[in-house]
Every structure is written in structure tokens, then in C-alpha cells.
Amino acid sequence: MGHGGSHSLGIPSGKGPHLVGCIDIMTDHTIQGSFLRLYYPCVHREKHQQPLWIPRHEYYNGLADFLKYSRTITDYILKHLYGSYSVPVEWDAPFKSDGKYPLVIFSHGLGAFRTVYSAICIEIASRGFVVAAVEHRDRSASATYYFEEKTRTNSEGEQLSIPTISTLTLDQLEEKWLYYKPYKRGEKEFPFRNHQVHQRGEECTRALNLLTNINKGIMVQNVFPLDFDFSKMKDCLDLCKVAIMGHSFGGATVLDSLSKELRFSCGVALDAWMFPLEDDIHTRIQKPILFINSEKFQWLTNILKIKQLDSTTIQRKMITIMGTVHQSFPDFTFLTGHFIGRMFGLKGTIDPHIAIDISNKASLAFMQRHLGLQQDFDQWDALIDGKGEHIIPGTNIPLPPSNSQSTQ
């Protein structure tokens, strides 16, 4: 079981009953707007394409900056390794209007961007959710972009008035790229990261507001020219059933969002990085949370901060998937061969398909329980308690005696 030899490289497609469609939405082209990738149950179209996994070469430059390697070399290597992969979804496929779908907002980790967790997002969408993977603009993404209006001048060189957004076309807009910003040595890291996590929380709320408007049938001005008919989504989201998920810095974002935005009913934090959060964050969250940890990432102070969220009245659960590393959650683990994967910490000792499957099933069972879904995800309830192959309840980190009760 422990070896990934049985699968060829590629992002796994969803196992649920729904075919998954995908679009990108950028509304309000400015840096204040929302930028996200939407995964949703779709209607099959005969002629369809799959989007590239890394949509623009600028993301390679951003990854190079994040990894502190030369852009030229990294661009070449990454393009060679990952450039040909596409995502197993139907791009711009029609939305399947069929009852009401619960909603998940997904927040990426440090150095990532909106497409990097597609395996998780696709699986959850295939089970009958709409999933919005936010691309954060707090400079924690490898790269991201927005648009500025080109200043237009007449023949005398006077500036002309800018048309309203509804009449702006892409050729009147100029792309602006934002790359990963490392914090400077000697600078205090906490204020820097804390500021970022608050912006990330706001961006998750903004994504929820955008989807609320779409659900009301309010017209969306999407910067990207797509065929997608947003009116098909009207009244198709169950906005009483909204969860938030995220990995690493995205796990911190889950907690920040749950502390501020009451419309999120529960959270799933994958290998949460607790450092960016205030010490009293546990006093401000009244929602159920599932922490899913990898075996190799966690350390004592991080775990103790998670354990402050223990509660006798609100369900807080922590499980650890053995054989996993921090990078067992993003897609790189499925797209990298064994040797390079182990060398760069992109693969653990467990087959990545088994690991992500455990994580997804535990997440689905937890969301069913706390969003009140009428599905069969409760068949995986045991995973929430850390019962099963490759998982343990609580943490593998040795705790001081007073804290050794696992998060049950």
C-alpha cells in the first residue's frame, strides 16, 4: 500500500456522482476585488477543454521567488516538470441547476495560488458542493494579478474620462502582477503575518459576498470573457450551509474567518500554521473545527495553540494522517515522481492518493455533521475520531502531561 507506483502522475478526478466544471472569476478588476477559481457540479458538453494546471508563466516566476531560486532556471525546470499538466474538470461548462448546493470557501497556503489545491476542490465539488478557491492578494501567494485602467489621452495629451467598469474591455485594462513578498530580516514577523491573515479573512468574506450576490441573481461583471451563464446559479446555493477550508496559512485563515464571519458554520484546517493568529483567537470562535495534520509538519508550540481551541461544548477535533508531509495536501504531490518528490519534501511515505482520500472523507463527514447535510458522508464518521488505517486521533507530537488529552 505504501508506494505510489500504481498511479501515473496527474491530478486525480473526483470520485463523487457529479461531473465538475470550473471557471475563474475576477470581479472588480482592481486589487480590492475578488479573484477566485470556482468548481461546481456541471452539465457535460461534447466539446470541452481542460484548463492548464499552472495557468500563466508568471506563476513559475513567483514560485522561483518563493523558493529563492533563479527565475530563469526555475521557470525552465518547473515548465518542464509541470507545464503540460491540466486539471481534470470541464472548463467553462454549464452549471447544473439541480437543488441547492452547500458552499465551501478554500484558502491556499504560503507561496501557493488558486489552482494548487485542485485535487481537494474537485473531489468536494464532485460530492455536490460549490467550491470557491480564493487567490489571496496579501503577497503570500507566489504570484497573483489584477488590472489597472489604462490612462487614455486625446491628441492634445489631455486625459479622457474613464468609462464605467461595465463598459471596460480587457484591452482598456493593464495587468499588474503581485509577487510573493518575504518578510525582511530584522523585521518582526508576527505583525507582518498577522496583517496578512486579516486581509486573507476579508478576502474569504468578500468571496462569500460575491457568491451571495450570484445566488440572488445579481449580474456579475467578470473580467474574463467566458460563456458561463451565471443566471443558472440563481437560488442554487444553500447559503445556510457554508464551510471554510484551508491549508497551512490557509488554516490560520480558516480560524481568522470563523472568528469574524458568522455565516461560516464550520471549518476544516489542514496542517494549520497558527503563528499568524493572536494568542486569544480561541476566545473568539464559537464554531466547530476539524484539524487534519500531517505527520511531519507539526511542532509543540503550534499544537498547543491548536489545543487552546479544545472545547467541551463545541466540537473540536484533531487527527493526524501518518506517512504524510506538509506538502501532502497541495497538488504537487500528485505531479512529482517519487525521487524528486521525496527529495523536495513533496511526497511522504504514504501513497498520496490514499492520504488525500482520508483527508477528503474526514472533511466531508465533518461538514455533513455540522452543515446538516442529507448525504452518506457519515459512513466516514470514524475518521473524525482518528479511527482507521494510517490515522491517529490527536497528534503524534509528545505533549506535556497536562495537555495529553487528545482533541476529542
Side-chain angles (χ1 to χ4, degrees):
M1 280 298 253
H3 298 288
S6 53
H7 296 276
S8 57
L9 296 179
I11 294 164
S13 41
K15 297 186 175 71
H18 298 272
L19 195 64
V20 178
C22 181
I23 54 167
D24 283 333
I25 308 178
M26 193 188 292
T27 61
D28 173 2
H29 59 283
T30 70
I31 198 166
Q32 276 81 36
S34 238
F35 188 14
L36 55 88
R37 176 158 283 198
L38 197 69
Y39 302 82
Y40 53 89
C42 76
V43 181
H44 174 64
R45 272 198 313 203
E46 279 312 310
K47 285 173 96 165
H48 69 271
Q49 65 184 96
Q50 297 188 339
L52 271 180
W53 180 56
I54 294 191
R56 302 275 304 262
H57 82 90
E58 285 88 350
Y59 289 101
Y60 294 117
N61 291 339
L63 284 165
D65 294 356
F66 176 63
L67 299 167
K68 300 190 174 70
Y69 293 142
S70 133
R71 277 192 178 190
T72 326
I73 299 167
T74 313
D75 188 58
Y76 176 78
I77 294 172
L78 291 175
K79 222 176 243 147
H80 176 72
L81 281 176
Y82 302 118
S84 60
Y85 287 115
S86 57
V87 184
V89 288
E90 295 202 8
W91 182 250
D92 201 10
F95 186 83
K96 182 159 112 191
S97 310
D98 181 15
K100 278 183 176 290
Y101 303 110
L103 175 64
V104 174
I105 306 287
F106 192 96
S107 171
H108 65 72
L110 212 54
F113 38 94
R114 71 188 185 285
T115 70
V116 170
Y117 297 86
S118 55
I120 294 173
C121 296
I122 290 167
E123 174 59 20
I124 289 172
S126 80
R127 301 282 179 179
F129 289 76
V130 169
V131 182
V134 174
E135 187 155 294
H136 290 296
R137 288 166 165 164
D138 62 331
R139 308 287 301 270
S140 68
S142 275
T144 186
Y145 63 107
Y146 60 99
F147 292 90
E148 278 180 0
E149 284 143 32
K150 288 180 183 160
T151 14
R152 305 188 316 151
T153 52
N154 62 15
S155 51
E156 278 79 55
E158 295 164 351
Q159 289 204 4
L160 298 174
S161 65
I162 295 289
T164 58
I165 177 64
S166 55
T167 57
L168 275 174
T169 55
L170 271 177
D171 55 6
Q172 291 165 305
L173 296 174
E174 192 177 352
E175 259 178 36
K176 294 282 179 193
W177 282 84
L178 276 178
Y179 289 102
Y180 178 77
K181 181 185 180 184
Y183 82 100
K184 297 181 194 68
R185 290 189 83 139
E187 185 183 1
K188 288 244 188 304
E189 191 178 7
F190 177 75
F192 179 71
R193 297 300 184 199
N194 183 250
H195 181 76
Q196 286 183 311
V197 84
H198 287 299
Q199 178 174 339
R200 288 165 143 264
E202 278 163 32
E203 287 168 340
C204 290
T205 289
R206 218 175 286 159
L208 178 51
N209 292 342
L210 169 63
L211 286 151
T212 303
N213 285 341
I214 290 171
N215 194 57
K216 286 178 184 159
I218 296 169
M219 267 308 294
V220 179
Q221 295 292 341
N222 191 0
V223 170
F224 303 112
L226 294 170
D227 295 334
F228 189 82
D229 180 1
F230 282 99
S231 68
K232 291 259 196 312
M233 287 181 73
K234 186 172 192 276
D235 296 327
C236 283
L237 296 178
D238 191 336
L239 294 171
C240 298
K241 298 187 167 133
V242 185
I244 180 160
M245 278 184 86
H247 173 243
S248 197
F249 206 168
T253 309
V254 164
L255 301 182
D256 180 74
S257 299
L258 289 174
S259 76
K260 295 175 185 159
E261 179 48 75
L262 296 173
R263 292 172 293 170
F264 291 124
S265 298
C266 65
V268 178
L270 309 170
D271 243 354
W273 180 41
M274 301 296 286
F275 175 77
L277 299 163
E278 303 83 14
D279 284 335
D280 67 345
I281 186 76
H282 59 282
T283 63
R284 300 200 302 268
I285 304 177
Q286 304 301 317
K287 300 292 168 75
I289 307 162
L290 172 63
F291 293 93
I292 304 180
N293 295 344
S294 70
E295 181 188 349
K296 296 290 190 216
F297 173 70
Q298 294 294 338
W299 64 97
L300 185 59
T301 48
N302 205 62
I303 291 287
L304 291 178
K305 205 158 168 180
I306 290 175
K307 290 193 63 62
Q308 285 188 306
L309 283 141
D310 280 359
S311 166
T312 48
T313 52
I314 305 159
Q315 189 163 61
R316 301 283 160 74
K317 294 283 192 178
M318 175 164 49
I319 59 174
T320 301
I321 306 178
M322 303 309 282
T324 50
V325 293
H326 195 48
Q327 298 298 329
S328 292
F329 298 100
D331 296 335
F332 288 100
T333 193
F334 300 107
L335 304 178
T336 314
H338 215 64
F339 178 70
I340 291 183
R342 293 293 281 279
M343 194 163 80
F344 288 105
L346 300 173
K347 269 181 157 48
T349 52
I350 188 175
D351 177 337
H353 294 81
I354 293 171
I356 212 77
D357 201 46
I358 292 169
S359 179
N360 288 335
K361 284 172 174 169
S363 303
L364 288 162
F366 192 79
M367 290 192 288
Q368 167 152 331
R369 186 180 287 187
H370 296 289
L371 300 178
L373 308 179
Q374 305 299 307
Q375 298 282 353
D376 59 353
F377 310 149
D378 51 358
Q379 63 181 302
W380 304 309
D381 273 352
L383 296 175
I384 301 175
D385 294 317
K387 297 192 178 97
E389 219 188 335
H390 308 294
I391 51 171
I392 59 166
T395 179
N396 58 317
I397 302 294
L399 297 176
S402 61
N403 282 288
S404 58
Q405 298 301 301
S406 63
T407 304
Q408 289 302 319

